[in-house]
Amino acid sequence: PHEKEYFVPITFTEQISPLSEQDPSIKMKSNLFNSIEYARSLDPDQQRLYCVNICLIYPPTSLKIRFLPFLSAICSYSKLLLLQIARNSWEAFETHPQLERMGSWLGVLTNSQGRPPPLYMLNLPKLLRETIDCGTFGHAMIFLTAFYSKVLNLFQPPHPITNLVLEILAAVMNTPGIRTHIIEKIHKFGELLKVDVSYYFNRSIIIPENSFDRYAQFSNESDSVIFK
């Protein structure tokens, strides 16, 4: 219960890019591990943003980092990107490098600790369903593939989380009107796991007609072309 005070989700109004180096209170230290040690001394609000900045600046490392607020910051920032920043916007494609970095960091931390993040930090199947609801599933595939590329030894089917993920992907793939590049990402994910995703289809999933994950629909109204 005491630890959960560190896991307040990062909000939309907080920074989504590397923090200003002009502020001495958030300046990165000489290396990754010195920066993490410094993060331990910060108050929870600064700590979350500082940890996100660490991830955006330093590449993932396979060495063990036992610092739960660091893991929590990655989970919170990933959800922020997928559920708010990336929602229904062409500019959302600019978040792909950050989504890939967060997925890779989460993957190496999971691999080094031998277990996924606690569900109260990140429920991966639930997150995928939420991105389907808000039209950011295509962006979620960037995060998902980066994560799984680091944890193949732990999450091969029939791992229960992976089976749930594959069922969701199969349902999306079998939904008419899904963008071609999303279908291609699902196929590549299957290749990564060496499985045929279509074999995991057992139920349909509701994807809004105006979802950004579907083909764009246009109509002519008063001599203007309107995107629906």
Side-chain angles (χ1 to χ4, degrees), residues 204-216:
S204 299
I205 196 167
I206 297 175
I207 300 179
E209 290 295 329
N210 63 347
S211 171
F212 201 73
D213 294 319
R214 290 182 180 270
Y215 289 122

Side-chain angles (χ1 to χ4, degrees), residues 19 21 23-24 26-31 35 38 49-51 53-55 57-58:
L19 306 178
E21 295 184 357
D23 186 341
I26 55 176
K27 186 175 182 180
M28 291 294 104
K29 302 304 177 182
S30 58
N31 57 52
S35 295
Y38 177 68
L49 295 177
Y50 191 83
C51 287
N53 205 40
I54 290 174
C55 293
I57 291 176
Y58 293 105

Side-chain angles (χ1 to χ4, degrees), residues 109-220:
L109 291 176
T110 298
N111 201 35
S112 67
Q113 296 176 16
R115 60 183 184 276
L119 288 178
Y120 68 85
M121 286 190 196
L122 183 69
N123 183 327
L124 195 52
K126 180 175 182 288
L127 177 62
L128 290 178
R129 293 189 187 98
E130 289 173 339
T131 64
I132 289 171
D133 289 340
C134 67
T136 59
F137 178 82
H139 306 303
M141 287 302 302
I142 301 297
F143 172 79
L144 185 71
T145 303
F147 172 71
Y148 266 87
S149 68
K150 305 295 184 183
V151 297
L152 288 177
N153 59 322
L154 294 175
F155 282 73
Q156 280 290 337
H159 190 285
I161 292 178
T162 301
N163 279 3
L164 284 173
V165 167
L166 288 169
E167 287 180 12
I168 294 169
L169 267 55
V172 171
M173 191 169 65
N174 280 272
T175 301
I178 298 300
R179 292 178 182 270
T180 303
H181 74 276
I182 295 177
I183 301 297
E184 291 174 351
K185 285 184 174 67
I186 293 174
H187 282 303
K188 289 181 179 178
F189 184 81
E191 293 172 2
L192 180 66
L193 270 63
K194 296 182 172 57
V195 300
D196 186 339
V197 177
S198 64
Y199 290 160
Y200 289 83
F201 178 70
N202 60 28
R203 70 187 69 181
S204 299
I205 196 167
I206 297 175
I207 300 179
E209 290 295 329
N210 63 347
S211 171
F212 201 73
D213 294 319
R214 290 182 180 270
Y215 289 122
Q217 299 181 33
F218 298 90
S219 64
N220 292 318

